[in-house]
Amino acid sequence: MNPSWKNHSLAARAAQAQSAPMGHTSGSTLGQTLATHKVLRNTYALLSMTLIWAAAVAAGTAALGLPHPGIIVTLVGYFGLLFLIHKTQSNAWAIPSVFALTGFMGYTLGPILSAYLGVAGGGQAIASALGATGITFLALSAYALTTKRDFSFMGGMLFAGMVIALLMGLAAIFFEMPALSLAVSAMVALLSAGLILFETSRIVNGGETNYVMATVGLFVSLFNLFTSLLSLFGMNLGDD
């Protein structure tokens, strides 16, 4: 038994996709380093706040027993808010837009958590997925930050992979194919891990200078990683 509510997080599974002049290397490098540190600091600060906000919304939604908005509303809401963030990323509406998106994603997560908590072992599955997500994020972020390796070459592959995963996930829902759903969850978990490396690498190497977009990229990757791991850890729930 693989209840369809395990697939409702699918809507968030969308893809995210110079050299210094001679004689000014030292000053340029220092300036770039300071700018990178600022983007990192702002990104992790905003990411922490959005994670707390989304968790609070999810907990509230689960406690109140509010229904899931459904796959169509979720897709429209997710992509609509993501488009809004892209349009407002450099003005005063950027931060409210980010909290609107992350709050909406928290709302869609609430009914999923409530469904897991309603079956034996569901709480353990949530705790395991949460722990694995945290460890994975910390390990991959630390690796990208300390090695400063450039993972930009992974961008195209990861984007294509997430598009394929999205289409496969939709097929799994509409044709009720539990085995395909689990395969998609495993695929998305791996792709999300790759995106964490890719996105952190872009910040470290100066490829992403807008902390709002950096935050959104990391938040969505963490959301996808958590929900995918939750589906995998809870694959046998309700079989008894």
Short mmCIF file of all heavy atoms in Angstrom, two decimals, residues 34-76:
data_model
loop_
_atom_site.label_atom_id
_atom_site.label_comp_id
_atom_site.label_asym_id
_atom_site.label_seq_id
_atom_site.Cartn_x
_atom_site.Cartn_y
_atom_site.Cartn_z
N LEU A 34 34.77 39.44 0.12
CA LEU A 34 33.85 40.12 1.04
C LEU A 34 32.42 40.04 0.54
O LEU A 34 31.48 39.82 1.32
CB LEU A 34 34.28 41.58 1.22
CG LEU A 34 35.60 41.81 1.96
CD1 LEU A 34 35.96 43.29 1.94
CD2 LEU A 34 35.51 41.30 3.39
N ALA A 35 32.24 40.21 -0.77
CA ALA A 35 30.90 40.14 -1.36
C ALA A 35 30.32 38.74 -1.21
O ALA A 35 29.14 38.56 -0.90
CB ALA A 35 30.95 40.53 -2.83
N THR A 36 31.17 37.71 -1.43
CA THR A 36 30.73 36.32 -1.30
C THR A 36 30.31 36.02 0.13
O THR A 36 29.28 35.38 0.37
CB THR A 36 31.85 35.36 -1.73
OG1 THR A 36 32.15 35.57 -3.11
CG2 THR A 36 31.43 33.91 -1.52
N HIS A 37 31.12 36.47 1.10
CA HIS A 37 30.79 36.26 2.50
C HIS A 37 29.47 36.93 2.87
O HIS A 37 28.68 36.38 3.66
CB HIS A 37 31.91 36.79 3.39
CG HIS A 37 33.14 35.92 3.38
ND1 HIS A 37 34.34 36.31 3.92
CD2 HIS A 37 33.35 34.68 2.88
CE1 HIS A 37 35.24 35.36 3.76
NE2 HIS A 37 34.66 34.36 3.12
N LYS A 38 29.22 38.09 2.30
CA LYS A 38 27.97 38.79 2.57
C LYS A 38 26.78 38.02 2.03
O LYS A 38 25.74 37.89 2.70
CB LYS A 38 28.01 40.20 1.96
CG LYS A 38 26.75 41.02 2.25
CD LYS A 38 26.87 42.42 1.65
CE LYS A 38 25.61 43.22 1.94
NZ LYS A 38 25.68 44.59 1.36
N VAL A 39 26.91 37.51 0.80
CA VAL A 39 25.83 36.73 0.20
C VAL A 39 25.58 35.46 1.01
O VAL A 39 24.43 35.10 1.28
CB VAL A 39 26.16 36.37 -1.27
CG1 VAL A 39 25.08 35.44 -1.84
CG2 VAL A 39 26.24 37.63 -2.11
N LEU A 40 26.66 34.79 1.43
CA LEU A 40 26.52 33.58 2.24
C LEU A 40 25.82 33.89 3.56
O LEU A 40 24.90 33.17 3.97
CB LEU A 40 27.89 32.97 2.52
CG LEU A 40 28.49 32.05 1.46
CD1 LEU A 40 29.93 31.72 1.79
CD2 LEU A 40 27.65 30.78 1.32
N ARG A 41 26.26 34.94 4.22
CA ARG A 41 25.68 35.31 5.52
C ARG A 41 24.19 35.62 5.38
O ARG A 41 23.36 35.13 6.16
CB ARG A 41 26.43 36.50 6.09
CG ARG A 41 25.95 36.92 7.49
CD ARG A 41 26.80 38.03 8.07
NE ARG A 41 26.73 39.25 7.29
CZ ARG A 41 27.71 39.71 6.51
NH1 ARG A 41 28.85 39.04 6.41
NH2 ARG A 41 27.57 40.84 5.83
N ASN A 42 23.85 36.43 4.39
CA ASN A 42 22.45 36.80 4.19
C ASN A 42 21.61 35.60 3.77
O ASN A 42 20.44 35.47 4.18
CB ASN A 42 22.34 37.91 3.15
CG ASN A 42 22.88 39.24 3.63
OD1 ASN A 42 23.03 39.45 4.84
ND2 ASN A 42 23.20 40.13 2.72
N THR A 43 22.19 34.74 2.94
CA THR A 43 21.47 33.56 2.47
C THR A 43 21.13 32.64 3.63
O THR A 43 19.97 32.21 3.78
CB THR A 43 22.30 32.79 1.43
OG1 THR A 43 22.49 33.61 0.27
CG2 THR A 43 21.59 31.50 1.02
N TYR A 44 22.12 32.31 4.45
CA TYR A 44 21.87 31.38 5.56
C TYR A 44 20.97 32.00 6.62
O TYR A 44 20.19 31.29 7.27
CB TYR A 44 23.19 30.91 6.15
CG TYR A 44 23.89 29.90 5.28
CD1 TYR A 44 25.23 30.07 4.92
CD2 TYR A 44 23.23 28.78 4.80
CE1 TYR A 44 25.88 29.15 4.10
CE2 TYR A 44 23.86 27.85 3.99
CZ TYR A 44 25.19 28.04 3.64
OH TYR A 44 25.82 27.13 2.84
N ALA A 45 21.05 33.31 6.80
CA ALA A 45 20.15 33.97 7.75
C ALA A 45 18.71 33.89 7.27
O ALA A 45 17.79 33.53 8.03
CB ALA A 45 20.56 35.43 7.94
N LEU A 46 18.48 34.23 5.99
CA LEU A 46 17.13 34.18 5.44
C LEU A 46 16.64 32.74 5.34
O LEU A 46 15.46 32.45 5.61
CB LEU A 46 17.11 34.84 4.06
CG LEU A 46 15.74 34.93 3.37
CD1 LEU A 46 14.73 35.66 4.25
CD2 LEU A 46 15.87 35.63 2.02
N LEU A 47 17.53 31.81 4.99
CA LEU A 47 17.14 30.40 4.90
C LEU A 47 16.68 29.90 6.26
O LEU A 47 15.66 29.18 6.35
CB LEU A 47 18.32 29.57 4.40
CG LEU A 47 18.07 28.06 4.25
CD1 LEU A 47 16.99 27.79 3.21
CD2 LEU A 47 19.37 27.34 3.86
N SER A 48 17.39 30.26 7.32
CA SER A 48 17.00 29.83 8.67
C SER A 48 15.61 30.34 9.02
O SER A 48 14.77 29.60 9.55
CB SER A 48 18.01 30.33 9.70
OG SER A 48 19.30 29.79 9.45
N MET A 49 15.35 31.61 8.70
CA MET A 49 14.04 32.19 9.02
C MET A 49 12.92 31.54 8.21
O MET A 49 11.83 31.27 8.75
CB MET A 49 14.08 33.70 8.78
CG MET A 49 14.91 34.46 9.79
SD MET A 49 14.79 36.27 9.62
CE MET A 49 15.77 36.53 8.13
N THR A 50 13.18 31.27 6.94
CA THR A 50 12.13 30.66 6.11
C THR A 50 11.87 29.22 6.53
O THR A 50 10.72 28.75 6.45
CB THR A 50 12.51 30.71 4.62
OG1 THR A 50 13.80 30.11 4.42
CG2 THR A 50 12.54 32.14 4.12
N LEU A 51 12.90 28.49 6.96
CA LEU A 51 12.70 27.12 7.42
C LEU A 51 11.84 27.10 8.69
O LEU A 51 10.93 26.27 8.83
CB LEU A 51 14.04 26.44 7.68
CG LEU A 51 14.86 26.08 6.44
CD1 LEU A 51 16.25 25.58 6.84
CD2 LEU A 51 14.15 25.00 5.61
N ILE A 52 12.12 28.02 9.60
CA ILE A 52 11.32 28.12 10.83
C ILE A 52 9.88 28.50 10.50
O ILE A 52 8.91 27.94 11.03
CB ILE A 52 11.94 29.15 11.79
CG1 ILE A 52 13.30 28.64 12.30
CG2 ILE A 52 11.00 29.42 12.97
CD1 ILE A 52 14.08 29.68 13.08
N TRP A 53 9.72 29.46 9.59
CA TRP A 53 8.39 29.91 9.17
C TRP A 53 7.61 28.77 8.51
O TRP A 53 6.44 28.53 8.85
CB TRP A 53 8.55 31.09 8.22
CG TRP A 53 7.35 31.46 7.40
CD1 TRP A 53 7.27 31.46 6.04
CD2 TRP A 53 6.07 31.91 7.86
NE1 TRP A 53 6.03 31.88 5.62
CE2 TRP A 53 5.27 32.16 6.72
CE3 TRP A 53 5.53 32.12 9.12
CZ2 TRP A 53 3.96 32.60 6.81
CZ3 TRP A 53 4.21 32.56 9.22
CH2 TRP A 53 3.44 32.81 8.07
N ALA A 54 8.24 28.06 7.58
CA ALA A 54 7.56 26.97 6.89
C ALA A 54 7.19 25.85 7.86
O ALA A 54 6.11 25.25 7.76
CB ALA A 54 8.45 26.42 5.76
N ALA A 55 8.09 25.55 8.81
CA ALA A 55 7.82 24.51 9.80
C ALA A 55 6.63 24.90 10.68
O ALA A 55 5.78 24.06 11.01
CB ALA A 55 9.06 24.27 10.65
N ALA A 56 6.56 26.19 11.05
CA ALA A 56 5.45 26.66 11.88
C ALA A 56 4.12 26.56 11.12
O ALA A 56 3.10 26.14 11.68
CB ALA A 56 5.70 28.10 12.31
N VAL A 57 4.14 26.94 9.84
CA VAL A 57 2.92 26.85 9.02
C VAL A 57 2.51 25.39 8.85
O VAL A 57 1.32 25.05 8.97
CB VAL A 57 3.13 27.51 7.64
CG1 VAL A 57 1.92 27.27 6.75
CG2 VAL A 57 3.37 29.00 7.81
N ALA A 58 3.48 24.52 8.60
CA ALA A 58 3.18 23.09 8.43
C ALA A 58 2.59 22.51 9.71
O ALA A 58 1.62 21.74 9.67
CB ALA A 58 4.44 22.34 8.04
N ALA A 59 3.17 22.87 10.85
CA ALA A 59 2.67 22.37 12.13
C ALA A 59 1.26 22.87 12.39
O ALA A 59 0.39 22.11 12.86
CB ALA A 59 3.61 22.81 13.26
N GLY A 60 1.01 24.15 12.08
CA GLY A 60 -0.32 24.70 12.27
C GLY A 60 -1.35 24.04 11.37
O GLY A 60 -2.47 23.72 11.80
N THR A 61 -0.97 23.82 10.12
CA THR A 61 -1.87 23.17 9.17
C THR A 61 -2.21 21.75 9.62
O THR A 61 -3.36 21.32 9.54
CB THR A 61 -1.22 23.13 7.78
OG1 THR A 61 -0.88 24.46 7.37
CG2 THR A 61 -2.18 22.53 6.75
N ALA A 62 -1.17 21.03 10.08
CA ALA A 62 -1.38 19.66 10.55
C ALA A 62 -2.25 19.64 11.80
O ALA A 62 -3.15 18.80 11.94
CB ALA A 62 -0.04 19.00 10.82
N ALA A 63 -2.00 20.56 12.74
CA ALA A 63 -2.76 20.59 13.99
C ALA A 63 -4.23 20.92 13.76
O ALA A 63 -5.11 20.37 14.43
CB ALA A 63 -2.13 21.62 14.94
N LEU A 64 -4.49 21.79 12.79
CA LEU A 64 -5.87 22.19 12.50
C LEU A 64 -6.57 21.19 11.58
O LEU A 64 -7.78 21.31 11.36
CB LEU A 64 -5.88 23.58 11.86
CG LEU A 64 -5.43 24.74 12.76
CD1 LEU A 64 -5.33 26.03 11.96
CD2 LEU A 64 -6.39 24.91 13.93
N GLY A 65 -5.81 20.26 11.03
CA GLY A 65 -6.40 19.27 10.14
C GLY A 65 -6.88 19.84 8.82
O GLY A 65 -7.85 19.35 8.23
N LEU A 66 -6.22 20.90 8.35
CA LEU A 66 -6.62 21.53 7.10
C LEU A 66 -6.33 20.61 5.92
O LEU A 66 -5.33 19.88 5.92
CB LEU A 66 -5.90 22.86 6.92
CG LEU A 66 -6.18 23.92 7.99
CD1 LEU A 66 -5.38 25.18 7.72
CD2 LEU A 66 -7.67 24.23 8.07
N PRO A 67 -7.16 20.62 4.91
CA PRO A 67 -6.97 19.71 3.77
C PRO A 67 -5.86 20.17 2.84
O PRO A 67 -5.50 21.35 2.80
CB PRO A 67 -8.32 19.78 3.05
CG PRO A 67 -8.82 21.16 3.33
CD PRO A 67 -8.38 21.45 4.75
N HIS A 68 -5.32 19.23 2.10
CA HIS A 68 -4.32 19.56 1.08
C HIS A 68 -5.01 20.30 -0.06
O HIS A 68 -6.13 19.93 -0.45
CB HIS A 68 -3.65 18.29 0.57
CG HIS A 68 -2.40 18.54 -0.22
ND1 HIS A 68 -2.43 18.93 -1.54
CD2 HIS A 68 -1.10 18.48 0.13
CE1 HIS A 68 -1.18 19.09 -1.97
NE2 HIS A 68 -0.36 18.81 -0.98
N PRO A 69 -4.41 21.35 -0.61
CA PRO A 69 -5.07 22.12 -1.68
C PRO A 69 -5.24 21.37 -2.99
O PRO A 69 -5.97 21.81 -3.87
CB PRO A 69 -4.15 23.33 -1.86
CG PRO A 69 -2.82 22.87 -1.38
CD PRO A 69 -3.11 21.93 -0.25
N GLY A 70 -4.55 20.24 -3.15
CA GLY A 70 -4.66 19.49 -4.39
C GLY A 70 -3.52 19.80 -5.33
O GLY A 70 -2.89 20.86 -5.24
N ILE A 71 -3.28 18.90 -6.25
CA ILE A 71 -2.10 18.99 -7.11
C ILE A 71 -2.16 20.21 -8.04
O ILE A 71 -1.15 20.87 -8.26
CB ILE A 71 -1.93 17.70 -7.93
CG1 ILE A 71 -0.60 17.71 -8.68
CG2 ILE A 71 -3.10 17.46 -8.85
CD1 ILE A 71 0.61 17.67 -7.80
N ILE A 72 -3.34 20.54 -8.55
CA ILE A 72 -3.45 21.66 -9.49
C ILE A 72 -3.19 22.99 -8.79
O ILE A 72 -2.37 23.81 -9.25
CB ILE A 72 -4.85 21.68 -10.16
CG1 ILE A 72 -5.09 20.37 -10.92
CG2 ILE A 72 -4.93 22.87 -11.12
CD1 ILE A 72 -4.10 20.09 -12.01
N VAL A 73 -3.87 23.22 -7.67
CA VAL A 73 -3.67 24.46 -6.92
C VAL A 73 -2.23 24.57 -6.44
O VAL A 73 -1.63 25.65 -6.46
CB VAL A 73 -4.64 24.52 -5.72
CG1 VAL A 73 -4.32 25.72 -4.84
CG2 VAL A 73 -6.08 24.59 -6.21
N THR A 74 -1.65 23.44 -6.03
CA THR A 74 -0.27 23.44 -5.55
C THR A 74 0.69 23.83 -6.66
O THR A 74 1.60 24.64 -6.44
CB THR A 74 0.10 22.06 -4.98
OG1 THR A 74 -0.82 21.73 -3.94
CG2 THR A 74 1.50 22.07 -4.41
N LEU A 75 0.51 23.26 -7.83
CA LEU A 75 1.37 23.59 -8.97
C LEU A 75 1.25 25.06 -9.35
O LEU A 75 2.25 25.75 -9.55
CB LEU A 75 1.02 22.71 -10.17
CG LEU A 75 1.54 21.27 -10.15
CD1 LEU A 75 0.90 20.45 -11.27
CD2 LEU A 75 3.06 21.25 -10.28
N VAL A 76 0.01 25.55 -9.44
CA VAL A 76 -0.21 26.95 -9.81
C VAL A 76 0.37 27.88 -8.75
O VAL A 76 1.05 28.87 -9.07
CB VAL A 76 -1.72 27.22 -10.00
CG1 VAL A 76 -1.96 28.72 -10.21
CG2 VAL A 76 -2.25 26.44 -11.20
#
